Amino acid sequence: MSVKSVYCMCLILSLALSASAQNNKKMSPEKQGLLLLTDYLGLHPKDISFRQDYHDPDGFRLSKVAALMSQPLDMIGYVDELKGVHIKGQPEILASILFDDLAVTGQSSRSRAYRPQGTEAGEAYTLYFLNQSLNQFLARMAVYIDQVFPRSTEMMLAPLSKKQKRFLTTKFKEIITSDLEEEFYTIEQHDSLEKAEERYADQFVEFAHKIDKDPIIRAGIDCLKMILLETKRLRKQLRGGEDAAEDFMRVTGFLPDNTDLSAFLGRQPGWAIGGPDNDYYNGDYYFILDIGGDDIYDLEYDPDNPHGVIIIDFSGNDSYRSRSDFTLGSGCLSVGILVDFEGDDRYDAKSFSLGSGYFGFGILYDAAGDDRYDGDTHVQGAGSFGLGLLVDEGGRDIYNGALFAQGFGFIEGCGLICDTKGSDSYYAGGKYKDILRYDDHYISLSQGFGYGLRPVMSGGIGGIIDLEGNDSYYTDIFGQGSSYWWSLGFISDKAGNDNYHSFQYAQGAGTHMSLGILTDDSGNDVYFSKGVSQGCGHDYSAGILLDRNGNDTYTAYDLSQAAGSANGVGILIDNSGEDRYFIHNEKNSQGYGNPRRDFGSIGLFIDLGGSDQYLGNGRDDFFWQTKSKWGGGMDIELIPEDETKK
Amino acid sequence: MKIKIFIAVISFILVAALTLAAAESNRTPVQLQKRIDSIFVIASSGELKYRDKVDPAIESLAKLGAKAVPPLIDKFTTKSARERLTIIKILKKIGSPALPDLIDALSRPEWLVIKRVCWTLGDISDSAAVLSLLGVANHDNWQVREYSIRALGKIGDLRAVAAVINSFNDSVGQVRKAAVVSAGKLNSAETISYLVQMLGDSYYGARLSAVEALLTKDTTRLLAQLKEALNSASGLKAKLAMKVLGKIGNDEAMDILSEQLNSGNRQKEVDAAIAIMSADPQDICGYHESVFEKIKDRLALLKIESARASAGDGTYSAN
């Protein structure tokens, strides 16, 4: 080894050590704050940890959720990482990362999608269009729709009986959906309904472990990647002047009178290729490619005949409408991909739509425009034994859902909205009444919500990532980075002056052995919720609200703003800014823990900078410990003021 | 004539009442089960609109007494937390007459049922259950261990001391926590040294519960043990020992704390200062000057000032 190479190695080593030392020194403000406050209270950040065996662990627990339950403070790093994953025009990267997070505890390997063998990969279709690139693309799509998707679904459900397969689209669906009539049920009807759902869950547990969701999700992600790659080339061709569209759509010159068009590529049953004009599509489709115009889609889907659905629209202000459940970027026992590249679009959906993965993979990718999304249940980034994604890369968007919507993760599922630009509005709730608790509030269970079936099946991961804009979030009961039963719900909002409004179980709230977190990196934000919110963990759960910058206003009534309940952990951290904290009931908020099972919970309230105003237990420049088991807070100046700005 | 009519009416009422009473006592188990099931649906209802019917239904089931106990124990396999709490509530109301069936249920195979029976026995707090609870205190399932130790503490019978001390070494934090809480409830000095050790426990539930449990003990024996704990290598143990000393706050405790102000260990000096401020915010003992001479660090001073203000105005818990 030469002297030069030894010198180089030493240099690299010293640089690595120096970088490592710098990393060690650079502890985040929130971490420093946690160390300081826990020390004051006789605690340590490591105390924030939960066991895996409060109940017999089930076989559906996601290893990511299990790991985060052991170290709930790692939720902060987890959502920070996810926030940085998305690359414009490549939603498949985010999908792949989330697929990794769908590994179940103890799962040593993940199944691949079905790989077509020999002739399957190039089934003989007669060419209809003259454009070679188009034909190549359509041929590849045909392989996915004819071979990869159905075979991957078979791989997913192979061990199930016909009756069990039927169960998935009937009784299991009933567990998720709600009925407006329930509000008027008698006590006996309620009991009967509750027992029926318990029975369904018990029946499902018997065979659910046989379901392998991996092949179909992977098939969907692979297909999405290919679509985005190939359509880039096709869209480029279409930009080549006025005649480009005409050339693109040019078909083979002569067709005999008795020709069966279904044997031609692009003209198969359930396929449609639309030109630059305004087109209308109506029915249950497998594949639509539309290159322009303001189009109308009236779509339906029959879950008894599951199949892949790919819809690609290059431009125009389009209107997508559901005539049944399981449409518009909905993978029901298969893959559903909806890609819209341009225009101000309107999506009017029913349930299980708009980026819904229900025993499958569903994505709605809208690359530009001011869009409006409306749906009912299990919509707008919702996953159950699957992955559901709604990625919107531009514009001022409106999201409207009723239940289990806007980043919802159910059993072995993950649902996410990733909105990268624009001031957006998120509304979830207002339809199904919360008959258990109130006569004038509605369940939302949405906006970064993870949910499991207590106590038999662990839940999934639900989240919203919003990178820009002054956003407005509204939920009622359960929402905005909250969770129930061995699951994770999160919102990570990077920038903008945002408004978070909810009523209960919200804004970083974990309930019953689960995890909820809301992080907001910058902007002057407003948080309002009545209770069990703003950093609240109930029943061996953790809830974290972390706001890093801006002059923020927090208002709540009770059991909020760093409240631990029933051996849970609630944390509120505000790193900087001139903030205002308002609480109605100071006896159980702002650094509070209540006793259950003869011992306490943990509530940690941390403000690390700025001149702040309090109504409640907090005080500016102060450490406090509330008369509770166990909680407290501190308001200090951790980050030195920047002298150059004075 | 009037007397005859009166006698006839009275006789009829008596006969009717006796017939009804006989019918009630002769109810077959199936009928009883059905009746319990139907009332239980109401008793365990969570819906807002039926809330005023819940308490009368619970009362009605409790009035059935011992004969309602076996069917209620069978319901302990429920997956609903609301139903589980309702059962415990009813059994607690039935009280000691429920004991024979509950004790029998401790030998059932389902750990979840045993855990819930232990919970109920603790709530009933009848010392007749002590030996049976001791019998499950080393159960394979940690939640059964936790709830049996918890129940023994609630009953407060000194026969439980050995089992409680044994549980301080359990591998599961929740069981150690239950032992600490029970030790605080048992009127025994034997547990003091163990409780002081638990101030350094790795599980916060055990550690912080030990602070409270120690405050129920006789300070004469406690102070020496706490003084010793201040030499512990565990920062948290020493910190919490100082917290207990601050809460005791008598002259001897204050002397021990003031010694720590000059211990040469920065963390201990700050912790001692906080404990002194909490115990004596008005500076009756005259330690404040030495505290402020000693401590200059900005955040440490803020903690100390906060502790003094908190103890002074009574708004907060003294640290």
Side-chain angles (χ1 to χ4, degrees), chain A residues 293-362:
Chain A
D294 300 336
D295 310 307
I296 295 173
Y297 297 80
D298 276 339
L299 303 180
E300 60 189 35
Y301 184 84
D302 177 11
D304 289 335
N305 173 32
H307 58 82
V309 181
I310 297 169
I311 298 165
I312 303 161
D313 190 290
F314 282 176
S315 64
N317 301 325
D318 307 305
S319 180
Y320 298 88
R321 303 188 297 217
S322 285
R323 285 174 49 193
S324 73
D325 290 343
F326 303 109
T327 57
L328 311 183
S330 172
C332 168
L333 299 162
S334 190
V335 169
I337 296 174
L338 195 165
V339 177
D340 186 290
F341 287 101
E342 287 174 24
D344 299 334
D345 307 306
R346 178 157 183 150
Y347 300 87
D348 272 318
K350 295 191 185 294
S351 294
F352 301 91
S353 302
L354 308 173
S356 160
Y358 184 79
F359 301 92
F361 174 75

XYZ file of all heavy atoms in Angstrom, chain A residues 293-362:
539
model
N -58.446 17.312 -23.821
C -59.849 17.687 -23.739
C -60.378 17.655 -22.318
O -59.765 17.065 -21.424
N -61.511 18.326 -22.157
C -62.170 18.320 -20.840
C -63.105 17.116 -20.827
O -64.186 17.153 -21.426
C -62.947 19.619 -20.637
C -62.017 20.831 -20.693
O -60.806 20.653 -20.437
O -62.494 21.939 -20.989
N -62.710 16.093 -20.184
C -63.424 14.812 -20.291
C -64.315 14.537 -19.086
O -64.098 15.056 -17.989
C -62.409 13.672 -20.441
C -61.407 13.971 -21.541
O -61.847 14.269 -22.667
O -60.192 13.951 -21.240
N -65.282 13.684 -19.327
C -66.160 13.254 -18.239
C -66.070 11.734 -18.123
O -66.205 11.013 -19.113
C -67.619 13.676 -18.492
C -67.712 15.215 -18.476
C -68.545 13.095 -17.429
C -69.064 15.751 -18.887
N -65.841 11.302 -16.924
C -65.741 9.869 -16.662
C -66.857 9.476 -15.686
O -66.899 9.972 -14.566
C -64.402 9.539 -15.993
C -63.163 9.840 -16.811
C -62.647 11.139 -16.902
C -62.475 8.820 -17.460
C -61.504 11.407 -17.630
C -61.323 9.083 -18.191
C -60.845 10.382 -18.277
O -59.702 10.654 -18.984
N -67.747 8.611 -16.076
C -68.760 8.045 -15.170
C -68.405 6.570 -15.003
O -68.739 5.742 -15.856
C -70.168 8.178 -15.775
C -70.760 9.549 -15.490
O -70.278 10.198 -14.529
O -71.674 9.970 -16.211
N -67.759 6.253 -13.908
C -67.166 4.922 -13.812
C -67.794 4.055 -12.728
O -68.293 4.557 -11.718
C -65.663 5.060 -13.544
C -64.903 5.882 -14.589
C -63.442 5.965 -14.240
C -65.085 5.299 -15.987
N -67.737 2.757 -12.973
C -68.246 1.808 -11.972
C -67.326 0.598 -11.895
O -66.459 0.402 -12.769
C -69.671 1.384 -12.313
C -69.815 0.707 -13.651
C -71.284 0.514 -14.039
O -72.097 1.386 -13.713
O -71.572 -0.505 -14.675
N -67.540 -0.192 -10.861
C -66.669 -1.350 -10.645
C -67.452 -2.422 -9.908
O -68.201 -2.130 -8.966
C -65.463 -0.916 -9.792
C -64.422 -1.989 -9.564
C -63.422 -2.231 -10.502
C -64.408 -2.749 -8.388
C -62.439 -3.204 -10.289
C -63.436 -3.716 -8.166
C -62.460 -3.932 -9.111
O -61.486 -4.884 -8.903
N -67.271 -3.649 -10.344
C -67.967 -4.762 -9.699
C -66.958 -5.584 -8.890
O -66.133 -6.301 -9.472
C -68.620 -5.646 -10.782
C -69.290 -6.864 -10.184
O -69.433 -6.913 -8.936
O -69.655 -7.765 -10.955
N -67.016 -5.509 -7.562
C -66.027 -6.238 -6.750
C -66.123 -7.757 -6.894
O -65.183 -8.463 -6.531
C -66.330 -5.796 -5.315
C -67.651 -5.154 -5.358
C -67.917 -4.713 -6.752
N -67.261 -8.244 -7.413
C -67.372 -9.692 -7.653
C -66.560 -10.126 -8.871
O -66.354 -11.314 -9.094
C -68.838 -10.093 -7.854
C -69.596 -10.005 -6.542
O -68.942 -10.113 -5.480
O -70.825 -9.807 -6.574
N -66.167 -9.154 -9.654
C -65.339 -9.440 -10.829
C -64.103 -8.532 -10.776
O -63.960 -7.599 -11.562
C -66.160 -9.171 -12.102
C -65.311 -9.291 -13.348
O -64.369 -10.085 -13.392
N -65.603 -8.463 -14.350
N -63.220 -8.801 -9.803
C -62.116 -7.863 -9.592
C -61.139 -7.842 -10.761
O -60.862 -8.864 -11.377
C -61.438 -8.394 -8.324
C -61.873 -9.791 -8.182
C -63.189 -9.924 -8.861
N -60.637 -6.654 -11.060
C -59.661 -6.515 -12.144
C -58.905 -5.199 -11.967
O -59.352 -4.300 -11.236
C -60.374 -6.530 -13.501
C -61.411 -5.465 -13.661
N -61.103 -4.179 -14.019
C -62.761 -5.492 -13.496
C -62.205 -3.464 -14.088
N -63.242 -4.236 -13.759
N -57.795 -5.090 -12.636
C -57.029 -3.861 -12.577
C -57.691 -2.765 -13.396
O -58.363 -3.054 -14.392
N -57.530 -1.535 -12.919
C -58.082 -0.386 -13.655
C -56.995 0.682 -13.767
O -56.449 1.126 -12.762
C -59.301 0.221 -12.927
C -59.861 1.395 -13.731
C -60.385 -0.817 -12.692
N -56.696 1.062 -15.017
C -55.697 2.109 -15.234
C -56.342 3.224 -16.044
O -56.881 2.983 -17.129
C -54.476 1.548 -15.996
C -53.792 0.456 -15.159
C -53.479 2.666 -16.318
C -52.739 -0.338 -15.931
N -56.314 4.424 -15.480
C -56.865 5.586 -16.197
C -55.772 6.643 -16.272
O -55.208 7.035 -15.242
C -58.100 6.149 -15.464
C -59.196 5.087 -15.410
C -58.614 7.411 -16.166
C -60.286 5.394 -14.433
N -55.491 7.073 -17.490
C -54.442 8.082 -17.673
C -55.013 9.218 -18.507
O -55.510 9.001 -19.619
C -53.213 7.472 -18.392
C -52.685 6.268 -17.589
C -52.115 8.518 -18.548
C -51.801 5.335 -18.411
N -54.967 10.411 -17.948
C -55.489 11.569 -18.663
C -54.375 12.610 -18.752
O -53.844 13.050 -17.734
C -56.708 12.126 -17.921
C -57.433 13.169 -18.730
O -56.881 14.276 -18.917
O -58.548 12.876 -19.188
N -54.026 12.986 -19.991
C -52.875 13.869 -20.180
C -53.177 15.338 -19.884
O -52.321 16.052 -19.392
C -52.346 13.751 -21.622
C -51.526 12.513 -21.863
C -51.035 12.220 -23.134
C -51.222 11.635 -20.830
C -50.263 11.082 -23.369
C -50.456 10.495 -21.059
C -49.979 10.212 -22.322
N -54.367 15.792 -20.223
C -54.631 17.218 -19.988
C -56.118 17.518 -20.009
O -56.941 16.666 -20.354
C -53.914 18.057 -21.048
O -54.445 17.764 -22.325
N -56.458 18.748 -19.645
C -57.849 19.174 -19.631
C -58.427 19.241 -18.232
O -57.901 18.634 -17.293
N -59.507 20.001 -18.135
C -60.209 20.094 -16.853
C -61.254 18.976 -16.840
O -62.293 19.081 -17.488
C -60.887 21.455 -16.713
C -59.876 22.581 -16.807
O -58.735 22.434 -16.343
N -60.256 23.692 -17.411
N -60.956 17.942 -16.131
C -61.774 16.734 -16.232
C -62.711 16.549 -15.052
O -62.454 17.046 -13.948
C -60.859 15.511 -16.356
C -59.864 15.689 -17.484
O -60.302 15.956 -18.616
O -58.641 15.613 -17.215
N -63.726 15.788 -15.294
C -64.684 15.480 -14.241
C -64.784 13.961 -14.097
O -65.179 13.266 -15.035
C -66.054 16.070 -14.603
O -66.965 15.764 -13.595
N -64.380 13.465 -12.955
C -64.424 12.022 -12.691
C -65.563 11.761 -11.716
O -65.625 12.376 -10.644
C -63.107 11.563 -12.052
C -61.878 11.760 -12.907
C -61.165 12.961 -12.871
C -61.404 10.747 -13.733
C -60.031 13.144 -13.644
C -60.267 10.928 -14.516
C -59.582 12.124 -14.466
O -58.453 12.305 -15.222
N -66.436 10.839 -12.069
C -67.593 10.588 -11.194
C -67.767 9.087 -10.956
O -67.622 8.285 -11.868
C -68.862 11.153 -11.837
C -68.722 12.643 -12.136
C -69.990 13.282 -12.576
N -70.526 12.778 -13.824
C -71.141 13.540 -14.743
N -71.269 14.836 -14.534
N -71.626 12.999 -15.831
N -68.096 8.762 -9.699
C -68.325 7.356 -9.339
C -69.785 7.002 -9.528
O -70.661 7.733 -9.070
C -68.008 7.128 -7.856
O -66.655 7.109 -7.628
N -70.007 5.865 -10.177
C -71.383 5.341 -10.195
C -71.506 4.167 -9.237
O -72.598 3.645 -9.020
C -71.761 4.931 -11.609
C -72.050 6.171 -12.472
C -72.276 5.818 -13.913
N -73.223 4.727 -14.067
C -73.418 4.055 -15.188
N -72.729 4.374 -16.264
N -74.289 3.073 -15.256
N -70.377 3.751 -8.669
C -70.405 2.690 -7.650
C -69.194 2.894 -6.732
O -68.345 3.745 -7.007
C -70.312 1.312 -8.300
O -68.992 1.096 -8.769
N -69.118 2.113 -5.686
C -67.923 2.124 -4.846
C -66.756 1.537 -5.657
O -66.955 0.952 -6.723
C -68.131 1.253 -3.602
C -69.136 1.869 -2.632
O -69.407 3.078 -2.751
O -69.647 1.135 -1.769
N -65.564 1.678 -5.101
C -64.350 1.064 -5.681
C -63.996 1.611 -7.067
O -63.720 0.851 -7.997
C -64.485 -0.471 -5.765
C -64.774 -1.132 -4.440
C -66.023 -1.674 -4.181
C -63.797 -1.211 -3.459
C -66.299 -2.283 -2.963
C -64.065 -1.821 -2.239
C -65.315 -2.361 -1.984
N -64.066 2.915 -7.218
C -63.661 3.506 -8.501
C -62.640 4.626 -8.266
O -62.387 5.002 -7.131
C -64.863 4.125 -9.237
O -65.447 5.085 -8.371
C -65.881 3.083 -9.632
N -62.088 5.140 -9.333
C -61.197 6.308 -9.319
C -59.958 6.094 -8.457
O -59.886 6.549 -7.317
C -61.947 7.567 -8.853
C -63.303 7.855 -9.518
C -63.874 9.158 -9.008
C -63.169 7.893 -11.022
N -59.005 5.413 -9.000
C -57.771 5.135 -8.259
C -58.021 4.203 -7.111
O -57.501 4.403 -6.019
N -58.846 3.196 -7.366
C -59.216 2.261 -6.304
C -58.770 0.844 -6.665
O -59.183 0.298 -7.686
C -60.738 2.287 -6.124
O -61.143 1.266 -5.245
N -57.943 0.280 -5.823
C -57.539 -1.107 -6.020
C -58.340 -1.987 -5.089
O -58.087 -2.023 -3.895
N -59.342 -2.660 -5.646
C -60.169 -3.559 -4.841
C -59.849 -4.977 -5.288
O -60.173 -5.366 -6.416
C -61.641 -3.244 -5.049
S -62.740 -4.484 -4.383
N -59.147 -5.728 -4.460
C -58.682 -7.076 -4.808
C -57.842 -7.026 -6.083
O -57.766 -7.999 -6.837
C -59.861 -8.034 -4.990
C -60.726 -8.223 -3.758
C -62.072 -8.798 -4.122
C -60.043 -9.100 -2.729
N -57.272 -5.885 -6.356
C -56.469 -5.698 -7.555
C -55.725 -4.364 -7.469
O -55.435 -3.889 -6.366
C -57.366 -5.748 -8.799
O -56.561 -5.787 -9.958
N -55.496 -3.749 -8.633
C -54.780 -2.472 -8.687
C -55.645 -1.430 -9.377
O -56.272 -1.724 -10.404
C -53.450 -2.641 -9.473
C -52.820 -1.292 -9.780
C -52.478 -3.520 -8.694
N -55.691 -0.235 -8.802
C -56.389 0.878 -9.439
C -55.453 2.069 -9.526
O -54.974 2.551 -8.502
N -55.186 2.509 -10.758
C -54.266 3.637 -10.935
C -54.970 4.719 -11.745
O -55.506 4.442 -12.822
C -52.982 3.186 -11.675
C -52.214 2.158 -10.826
C -52.081 4.392 -11.991
C -51.005 1.545 -11.542
N -55.014 5.924 -11.184
C -55.574 7.043 -11.935
C -54.500 8.130 -11.959
O -54.072 8.608 -10.909
C -56.839 7.561 -11.249
C -57.763 8.491 -12.061
C -59.124 8.619 -11.384
C -57.186 9.865 -12.296
N -54.069 8.483 -13.176
C -53.033 9.507 -13.321
C -53.599 10.635 -14.170
O -54.039 10.415 -15.298
C -51.768 8.915 -13.996
C -50.731 9.999 -14.203
C -51.185 7.784 -13.152
N -53.592 11.832 -13.606
C -54.081 12.999 -14.349
C -52.965 14.039 -14.317
O -52.569 14.503 -13.243
C -55.356 13.537 -13.686
C -55.984 14.649 -14.497
O -55.388 15.760 -14.550
O -57.055 14.430 -15.070
N -52.473 14.395 -15.505
C -51.283 15.236 -15.543
C -51.556 16.733 -15.484
O -50.717 17.484 -15.009
C -50.457 14.918 -16.797
C -49.734 13.604 -16.701
C -50.219 12.472 -17.337
C -48.570 13.491 -15.963
C -49.558 11.257 -17.241
C -47.903 12.277 -15.864
C -48.395 11.150 -16.501
N -52.692 17.163 -15.998
C -52.921 18.614 -16.054
C -54.385 18.943 -15.833
O -55.256 18.091 -16.001
C -52.522 19.158 -17.434
C -51.031 19.232 -17.691
C -50.732 19.644 -19.131
O -51.592 20.289 -19.765
O -49.642 19.293 -19.621
N -54.627 20.206 -15.522
C -55.992 20.703 -15.471
C -56.563 20.802 -14.069
O -56.065 20.192 -13.118
N -57.623 21.599 -13.991
C -58.360 21.724 -12.730
C -59.433 20.647 -12.751
O -60.421 20.774 -13.482
C -58.985 23.115 -12.624
C -57.913 24.200 -12.639
O -56.773 23.908 -12.239
O -58.222 25.329 -13.056
N -59.246 19.647 -11.975
C -60.123 18.475 -12.084
C -61.077 18.353 -10.901
O -60.809 18.835 -9.814
C -59.268 17.210 -12.194
C -58.257 17.333 -13.308
O -58.674 17.628 -14.435
O -57.043 17.181 -13.034
N -62.137 17.661 -11.176
C -63.119 17.431 -10.116
C -63.358 15.926 -9.983
O -63.641 15.243 -10.970
C -64.412 18.152 -10.470
C -65.444 17.894 -9.423
C -66.522 18.898 -9.339
N -67.349 18.481 -8.219
C -68.020 19.276 -7.462
N -67.987 20.550 -7.673
N -68.748 18.816 -6.462
N -63.234 15.444 -8.765
C -63.406 14.012 -8.500
C -64.604 13.838 -7.563
O -64.552 14.249 -6.405
C -62.152 13.439 -7.832
C -60.881 13.580 -8.657
C -60.099 14.736 -8.585
C -60.457 12.556 -9.487
C -58.950 14.862 -9.344
C -59.294 12.677 -10.243
C -58.544 13.834 -10.163
O -57.397 13.958 -10.903
N -65.654 13.261 -8.059
C -66.860 13.008 -7.245
C -66.976 11.507 -7.023
O -67.413 10.790 -7.922
C -68.113 13.480 -7.987
C -68.395 14.938 -7.711
O -68.250 15.335 -6.553
O -68.745 15.655 -8.669
N -66.601 11.066 -5.840
C -66.542 9.613 -5.631
C -67.552 9.147 -4.599
O -68.098 9.941 -3.837
C -65.140 9.234 -5.193
N -67.765 7.850 -4.600
C -68.527 7.242 -3.511
C -67.507 6.727 -2.505
O -66.568 7.454 -2.184
C -69.430 6.140 -4.045
C -70.510 6.658 -4.973
C -71.551 5.600 -5.267
C -72.566 6.076 -6.276
N -73.407 7.183 -5.786
N -67.654 5.487 -2.030
C -66.709 4.979 -1.027
C -65.622 4.128 -1.680
O -65.755 3.717 -2.829
C -67.457 4.152 0.013
O -68.326 4.981 0.750
N -64.546 3.893 -0.931
C -63.412 3.084 -1.399
C -62.879 3.639 -2.730
O -62.835 2.936 -3.737
C -63.804 1.602 -1.524
C -64.285 1.007 -0.227
C -65.634 1.033 0.106
C -63.384 0.466 0.685
C -66.083 0.523 1.313
C -63.833 -0.048 1.895
C -65.180 -0.018 2.211
N -62.535 4.888 -2.695
C -62.157 5.577 -3.928
C -61.039 6.591 -3.698
O -60.628 6.820 -2.566
C -63.378 6.334 -4.486
O -64.429 5.453 -4.715
N -60.583 7.175 -4.796
C -59.643 8.288 -4.745
C -58.349 7.936 -4.008
O -57.970 8.600 -3.050
C -60.307 9.514 -4.091
C -61.654 9.961 -4.669
C -62.265 11.063 -3.823
C -61.494 10.423 -6.101
N -57.711 6.883 -4.438
C -56.504 6.414 -3.764
C -56.856 5.498 -2.620
O -56.551 5.789 -1.466
N -57.536 4.404 -2.987
C -57.977 3.443 -1.972
C -57.402 2.062 -2.282
O -57.624 1.529 -3.373
C -59.517 3.391 -1.967
O -59.970 2.198 -1.369
N -56.675 1.531 -1.342
C -56.141 0.180 -1.510
C -56.875 -0.767 -0.575
O -56.641 -0.747 0.629
N -57.760 -1.542 -1.136
C -58.585 -2.463 -0.342
C -58.249 -3.878 -0.818
O -58.684 -4.286 -1.877
C -60.058 -2.127 -0.579
C -61.045 -2.922 0.244
C -61.302 -2.600 1.572
C -61.741 -3.990 -0.309
C -62.232 -3.311 2.315
C -62.663 -4.715 0.424
C -62.903 -4.366 1.734
O -63.825 -5.075 2.467
N -57.404 -4.540 -0.066
C -56.823 -5.796 -0.536
C -56.210 -5.548 -1.919
O -56.472 -6.275 -2.880
C -57.852 -6.934 -0.576
C -58.476 -7.208 0.765
C -59.656 -6.590 1.137
C -57.841 -8.035 1.680
C -60.208 -6.810 2.392
C -58.394 -8.261 2.931
C -59.588 -7.642 3.289
N -55.440 -4.498 -1.975
C -54.844 -4.118 -3.249
C -54.086 -2.818 -3.165
O -53.787 -2.321 -2.086
N -53.822 -2.259 -4.332
C -53.083 -1.008 -4.426
C -53.884 0.004 -5.225
O -54.318 -0.289 -6.354
C -51.730 -1.269 -5.124
C -50.939 -0.029 -5.415
C -50.266 0.645 -4.404
C -50.871 0.486 -6.706
C -49.531 1.797 -4.676
C -50.128 1.639 -6.984
C -49.462 2.292 -5.957
N -54.100 1.172 -4.628
C -54.844 2.211 -5.334
C -54.125 3.534 -5.224
O -53.717 3.934 -4.134
